[in-house]
Amino acid sequence: GARGGGGGGVDSRQRPRAAVVRQLFMDAFSRSHQLIRADPRTGSYLACALLLRGDLSVSDVNNAMAKIQPTINNVHWNDDGFKVGLCG
């Protein structure tokens, strides 16, 4: 849909908001959503920032971040290098 949410052909308004937020996070780290020929799951990150806009709750964003964060390989000296900005 126009508000994000990604694939499956399912309108994002029909899915629960938490599922849409989880899909946004998964899409951000998906190889098919990159502008370069690289797989974002195989490298190490110095830091990561995601900016989200729309009708999203902080709890949905925190839950999605907690789920995706263990799958992202941050450098050992910056384990908390994952930040999210939420504009409403």
Side-chain angles (χ1 to χ4, degrees):
R3 295 169 67 179
V10 176
D11 188 359
S12 64
R13 292 170 293 191
Q14 294 174 349
R15 291 192 289 173
R17 186 174 54 200
V20 172
V21 174
R22 270 194 313 274
Q23 188 64 47
L24 284 170
F25 274 73
M26 296 300 289
D27 287 349
F29 294 98
S30 166
R31 183 176 185 174
S32 64
H33 285 82
Q34 303 301 309
L35 296 175
I36 59 174
R37 190 178 282 176
D39 188 351
R41 300 238 182 204
T42 60
S44 293
Y45 287 85
L46 296 176
C48 179
L50 293 173
L51 300 175
L52 304 170
R53 188 182 112 189
D55 184 24
L56 305 171
S57 73
V58 173
S59 63
D60 290 342
V61 170
N62 285 338
N63 290 337
M65 189 170 75
K67 185 172 180 128
I68 195 83
Q69 202 166 11
T71 67
I72 304 302
N73 185 25
N74 285 328
V75 291
H76 68 89
W77 45 265
N78 193 16
D79 282 334
D80 292 332
F82 199 94
K83 304 298 177 208
V84 174
L86 182 59
C87 303

